[in-house]
Amino acid sequence: MRGPLGAVIGRYPSSDGTTHLGGIIKHNRKCRDIAVLIIFIAFWIAMIVNSSFAFSRGNPLRLTYGLDYRGNVCGQKHAAQDLRELELKYWLNPNQVYQSGLKDSQFKLANARSICLLDCPIPSEDSLTWVCDYPEGDIHVSLNDWIDMNYDYFEFLTPEMRNSSLQLQGPCYPVIFPSVNVYWSCQFIARASNVSLKHWQQMGGVNIQEDIVIDKSIHEYINSQSAVLKRYMADIGKSWPVLIVCGGILPLFLSVIWLLMIRHFVAAMPWVTVVLFNLLMVSVTMFFYLKVGWIGNDAISPIIGEHDPYIHVYVRELTHLRVVTVLMSFIMLVAFLTSIAIVQRILMATSVLKVAAKVIGEVQALIIFPIIPYGILAVFYIFWTSAALHLFSSGQVVQNNCNSNCCTYDLIEKKVICDRCCGYSIHYMPHIGAAILFHLFGCYWATQFFIACLSTVIAGSVASYYWAHGEASPEIPFLSVFSSMKRLMLYSLGSVALGSLTVSFVESIRILLESIRRKLKVSSHVPDSWIGKAAYQSSQCFQRCIGWTIKSVNRNAYIMIAVTGKSFFKASAVATELIMNNILRIGRVNVIGDVILFLGKLCVSLSSAVFAFLMLDTHKYRSTHNKISSPLFPVVVCWALGYVVATLFFAVVEMSIDTVILSFCQDSEEHGTAQYAPPLLIETLEDQNEMQRLAQGPQ
């Protein structure tokens, strides 16, 4: 049986028989869940080792730019050449591109000869132009001069070199097809220049295939799943100023403003939150409609720079945006209908928020304390994001092992070679997938851990305020928040680590099961009978209920950890028993307040998304060096970061309400009436009959 907590929390007897205030909040504590704390420390060491591997093996430029025929990354300085201005990957041999697009061909586009250029070549209107290999050997032309000559030094070639070039074996290759810059790869347009082709044939060049396959081959390469994933990750690296402003600074400012308004304008905040939430939902949805081109002509384009307006290139990023746009439209409709449904309950939410407003007014350090975990998380996210970019691009550049006939002229050896002409690719380590999953899990666990620490500190300071009301006000530490933080650091880090690990593990299992469910659905393994379908859908609902229950129990367990200093599982048991004994009163008072707080978090995160759209719509991210492939991923990341920041600051209100209500229920159970409840707290609840019913408990 659970003993009376209020008696030991509010007072404790000393050796001289006198009674002191503070009780178990200050005394009788010891370190809990030490084993989990050791596991958490080992986890951080593993994260550092994993990140060190990423920094040593990764190169984020690989996520954006391709490799040339030497294995060099375009847009980067190398030992042989300085390619920092040469960012575009261009396939030199049009017949190799054509062969790679044939269904039965063994030749892969990854083995086609490619080079790094400053811009995509376009056929001349009155002659035949060439793109030649990097100048070396007997070609006494500097790299800068080669660029100024439009990569063409055909006139300096020996007869042997010219004959080799006419056989499409280099070192120079004809520009027959126009090409456009599609995400730093030159996409061929299957519209050969008649003038260039005529000159080529007159010079005795081999036959060049003109089929549409030459267009589709590069198009499929650019639209592969791995290429799209790399571009999404590269978008994060390019839009880091947007992430800092819209994912860090802006939500910090908005969250503090929201807390101050709760403190001074609590009666109006539920209405303001609901209205603002719906306006932001409409704004975000409209931005998606603009970006897919369903409203106006502002659809994202994969082509970088100026190009023929009649050229249209389709990529997967636009498909993903369309799917999200349809999803946002549905969510917007549901959100609007839900807002209408809760209008009648907003008055109850106002009375609940007044509780938090009074607590914040008494313990004012609560408003600024979240800045500490915010700063720690900001440093962690910067380090984690950088490590993630390196991890996704980690690997070793190796030459492919191909058996295709791809002979080419070597300027150094001055002859045609056929044994070292295969293309290069990035060879990923076998464990890279596990390393990425571990890195993602680490981010989620670390986030949950810092949120749990924040919640525990707030709960401890609010509990001190509640149980020491009246007689104890002089003895409450002036900075009770930091006293609570000290108790957490000394005794309860292991318990908090265990609680955050529980949430992270349950969520990871749920995501894994969801991915399996989708694969089964795609594979047509969904049960056909109505019983099977009902069980199938019930399992999904059951998973979500488990996740919600774990989070709810954890939040109340953190309160008991802060108040009693017990281990995580014992604190969870105490919290669960207290909740079950008062389920009606807690649910009746707290549910609508939680809904308003959730909408408040969404308001902050949606504001971050809106401003992210506005920043990404500038010239810097639309057509220049920092052009992003799609605003989708940076906007989603800004939304997620905004939600995390809002969660940190809104935890002040959430944990204040939960701690006061649990303390009130405990106080009522032990004394029949809430003896420790501050008068100012009771005055905030307008319905006195409801308060009396809460104090009496269930009959």
Side-chain angles (χ1 to χ4, degrees), residues 334-354:
V334 173
F336 182 73
L337 296 177
T338 303
S339 300
I340 296 176
I342 67 172
V343 166
Q344 295 181 348
R345 298 279 184 172
I346 288 182
L347 291 177
M348 184 179 294
T350 303
S351 65
V352 173
L353 292 176
K354 284 182 179 180

Side-chain angles (χ1 to χ4, degrees), residues 28-340:
N28 302 326
R29 291 181 180 254
K30 61 181 181 179
C31 295
R32 306 287 186 178
D33 299 312
I34 298 177
V36 182
L37 181 59
I38 295 174
I39 294 175
F40 188 66
I41 294 173
F43 152 77
W44 274 101
I45 295 175
M47 281 285 289
I48 294 174
V49 172
N50 193 46
S51 300
S52 300
F53 163 80
F55 285 118
S56 64
R57 297 294 184 92
N59 181 2
L61 288 178
R62 297 172 184 167
L63 299 173
T64 300
Y65 309 116
L67 305 175
D68 65 7
Y69 63 85
R70 287 179 170 171
N72 296 327
V73 179
C74 297
Q76 188 177 23
K77 184 177 181 180
H78 299 275
Q81 281 97 15
D82 185 357
L83 306 179
R84 282 178 293 188
E85 294 183 356
L86 309 178
E87 300 175 338
L88 309 187
K89 181 177 181 177
Y90 176 74
W91 286 271
L92 292 162
N93 191 332
N95 276 357
Q96 287 184 340
V97 177
Y98 174 82
Q99 292 174 12
S100 65
L102 298 176
K103 293 183 179 180
D104 300 329
S105 175
Q106 299 298 319
F107 189 82
K108 305 298 181 184
L109 186 62
N111 293 319
R113 191 170 182 80
S114 59
I115 194 172
C116 301
L117 302 180
L118 184 63
D119 47 21
C120 292
I122 299 176
S124 174
E125 296 181 356
D126 55 3
S127 62
L128 178 63
T129 57
W130 304 78
V131 173
C132 303
D133 290 346
Y134 303 126
E136 56 187 351
D138 291 337
I139 306 298
H140 301 292
V141 176
S142 67
L143 191 66
N144 289 332
D145 290 338
W146 172 72
I147 297 174
D148 294 337
M149 296 164 61
N150 290 325
Y151 330 109
D152 184 357
Y153 51 73
F154 183 79
E155 59 180 314
F156 302 129
L157 298 184
T158 64
E160 180 185 5
M161 293 178 184
R162 293 194 177 196
N163 181 63
S164 173
S165 298
L166 292 174
Q167 301 300 315
L168 288 179
Q169 294 180 345
C172 293
Y173 299 84
V175 179
I176 303 297
F177 299 92
S179 58
V180 292
N181 180 0
V182 178
Y183 297 138
W184 290 272
S185 293
C186 291
Q187 165 76 65
F188 283 0
I189 306 300
R191 194 170 60 212
S193 168
N194 293 331
V195 174
S196 297
L197 198 57
K198 181 179 178 181
H199 279 84
W200 171 258
Q201 293 170 348
Q202 290 176 349
M203 295 177 67
V206 298
N207 182 49
I208 291 181
Q209 303 292 338
E210 304 179 55
D211 196 87
I212 191 68
V213 173
I214 197 171
D215 185 324
K216 293 183 177 179
S217 177
I218 299 178
H219 181 76
E220 291 177 358
Y221 168 83
I222 294 174
N223 280 278
S224 65
Q225 292 183 356
S226 61
V228 174
L229 178 60
K230 288 179 180 179
R231 287 201 293 269
Y232 278 146
M233 292 302 301
D235 289 343
I236 298 301
K238 294 175 184 177
S239 59
W240 63 266
V242 179
L243 301 186
I244 292 177
V245 174
C246 299
I249 299 176
L250 179 64
L252 169 65
F253 175 76
L254 294 177
S255 298
V256 173
I257 292 296
W258 198 90
L259 283 181
L260 291 175
M261 293 186 69
I262 280 288
R263 172 71 182 89
H264 298 286
F265 308 102
V266 63
M269 282 310 295
W271 302 98
V272 172
T273 301
V274 172
V275 173
L276 185 60
F277 167 71
N278 284 280
L279 291 177
L280 289 170
M281 282 294 299
V282 173
S283 300
V284 172
T285 305
M286 291 301 102
F287 268 115
F288 276 112
Y289 271 88
L290 287 171
K291 291 306 173 184
V292 299
W294 291 346
I295 295 180
N297 298 313
D298 195 27
I300 62 169
S301 171
I303 302 178
I304 302 173
E306 298 181 358
H307 61 279
D308 189 335
Y310 295 100
I311 297 176
H312 177 72
V313 179
Y314 178 80
V315 287
R316 286 191 176 187
E317 284 86 352
L318 192 58
T319 301
H320 296 165
L321 270 179
R322 289 173 176 171
V323 172
V324 173
T325 302
V326 174
L327 180 62
M328 284 298 301
S329 302
F330 174 75
I331 295 175
M332 180 183 66
L333 178 61
V334 173
F336 182 73
L337 296 177
T338 303
S339 300
I340 296 176

Side-chain angles (χ1 to χ4, degrees), residues 449-526:
F449 175 79
F450 286 115
I451 292 176
C453 288
L454 173 69
S455 301
T456 306
V457 171
I458 294 173
S461 58
V462 173
S464 298
Y465 157 77
Y466 182 94
W467 290 103
H469 170 70
E471 305 172 40
S473 56
E475 298 190 19
I476 298 178
F478 177 72
L479 295 177
S480 60
V481 173
F482 295 99
S483 297
S484 180
M485 183 170 62
K486 180 180 178 181
R487 293 193 295 271
L488 168 69
M489 298 292 291
L490 292 177
Y491 306 111
S492 303
L493 280 180
S495 301
V496 170
L498 179 56
S500 56
L501 176 61
T502 303
V503 173
S504 303
F505 181 76
V506 170
E507 284 296 309
S508 299
I509 295 298
R510 189 180 69 81
I511 293 174
L512 179 61
L513 293 176
E514 178 68 16
S515 63
I516 294 175
R517 182 188 72 86
R518 290 181 179 179
K519 289 183 178 180
L520 290 176
K521 187 175 182 180
V522 172
S523 302
S524 302
H525 287 114
V526 180

Side-chain angles (χ1 to χ4, degrees), residues 371-672:
I371 293 178
I372 296 177
Y374 167 85
I376 297 174
L377 263 182
V379 174
F380 169 75
Y381 281 151
I382 292 173
F383 167 81
W384 184 90
T385 303
S386 179
L389 291 174
H390 283 81
L391 191 60
F392 270 87
S393 62
S394 61
Q396 184 178 4
V397 177
V398 297
Q399 190 169 26
N400 299 332
N401 183 18
C402 63
N403 298 319
S404 304
N405 181 18
C406 55
C407 300
T408 184
Y409 191 92
D410 191 304
L411 288 172
I412 300 296
E413 298 189 12
K414 302 179 182 179
K415 64 178 181 179
V416 175
I417 60 173
C418 300
D419 56 345
R420 296 192 307 273
C421 60
C422 294
Y424 287 80
S425 60
I426 300 174
H427 176 69
Y428 294 97
M429 306 300 177
H431 60 275
I432 191 66
I436 292 175
L437 291 177
F438 177 79
H439 198 67
L440 294 173
F441 177 80
C443 179
Y444 191 76
W445 188 9
T447 302
Q448 291 297 324
F449 175 79
F450 286 115
I451 292 176
C453 288
L454 173 69
S455 301
T456 306
V457 171
I458 294 173
S461 58
V462 173
S464 298
Y465 157 77
Y466 182 94
W467 290 103
H469 170 70
E471 305 172 40
S473 56
E475 298 190 19
I476 298 178
F478 177 72
L479 295 177
S480 60
V481 173
F482 295 99
S483 297
S484 180
M485 183 170 62
K486 180 180 178 181
R487 293 193 295 271
L488 168 69
M489 298 292 291
L490 292 177
Y491 306 111
S492 303
L493 280 180
S495 301
V496 170
L498 179 56
S500 56
L501 176 61
T502 303
V503 173
S504 303
F505 181 76
V506 170
E507 284 296 309
S508 299
I509 295 298
R510 189 180 69 81
I511 293 174
L512 179 61
L513 293 176
E514 178 68 16
S515 63
I516 294 175
R517 182 188 72 86
R518 290 181 179 179
K519 289 183 178 180
L520 290 176
K521 187 175 182 180
V522 172
S523 302
S524 302
H525 287 114
V526 180
D528 295 329
S529 64
W530 68 270
I531 298 178
K533 291 181 179 179
Y536 189 71
Q537 297 298 330
S538 299
S539 65
Q540 294 304 111
C541 181
F542 183 66
Q543 291 176 26
R544 293 185 176 89
C545 289
I546 289 178
W548 181 86
T549 303
I550 290 294
K551 290 182 179 180
S552 178
V553 170
N554 271 17
R555 195 168 70 181
N556 292 286
Y558 298 145
I559 297 175
M560 291 296 108
I561 290 172
V563 171
T564 66
K566 294 181 180 293
S567 64
F568 174 76
F569 289 116
K570 289 183 179 179
S572 298
V574 172
T576 302
E577 183 180 353
L578 190 59
I579 292 171
M580 294 304 296
N581 291 341
N582 300 273
I583 187 68
L584 294 179
R585 63 179 72 174
I586 291 177
R588 185 179 180 84
V589 173
N590 209 20
V591 169
I592 299 299
D594 284 346
V595 171
I596 295 300
L597 289 172
F598 176 68
L599 293 182
K601 295 177 189 177
L602 289 180
C603 284
V604 173
S605 57
L606 288 172
S607 299
S608 301
V610 169
F611 278 90
F613 266 121
L614 293 174
M615 287 190 68
L616 292 171
D617 204 36
T618 59
H619 176 74
K620 177 179 179 180
Y621 300 105
R622 288 168 62 95
S623 58
T624 61
H625 171 79
N626 290 317
K627 176 180 171 63
I628 60 171
S629 64
S630 169
L632 178 60
F633 207 50
V635 166
V636 170
V637 172
C638 285
W639 176 87
L641 291 175
Y643 190 86
V644 170
V645 174
T647 299
L648 290 176
F649 284 86
F650 284 33
V652 173
V653 179
E654 280 183 318
M655 295 305 295
S656 296
I657 293 174
D658 290 346
T659 303
V660 168
I661 290 179
L662 280 182
S663 300
F664 186 90
C665 293
Q666 178 65 35
D667 196 6
S668 301
E669 281 191 7
E670 293 181 7
H671 304 103

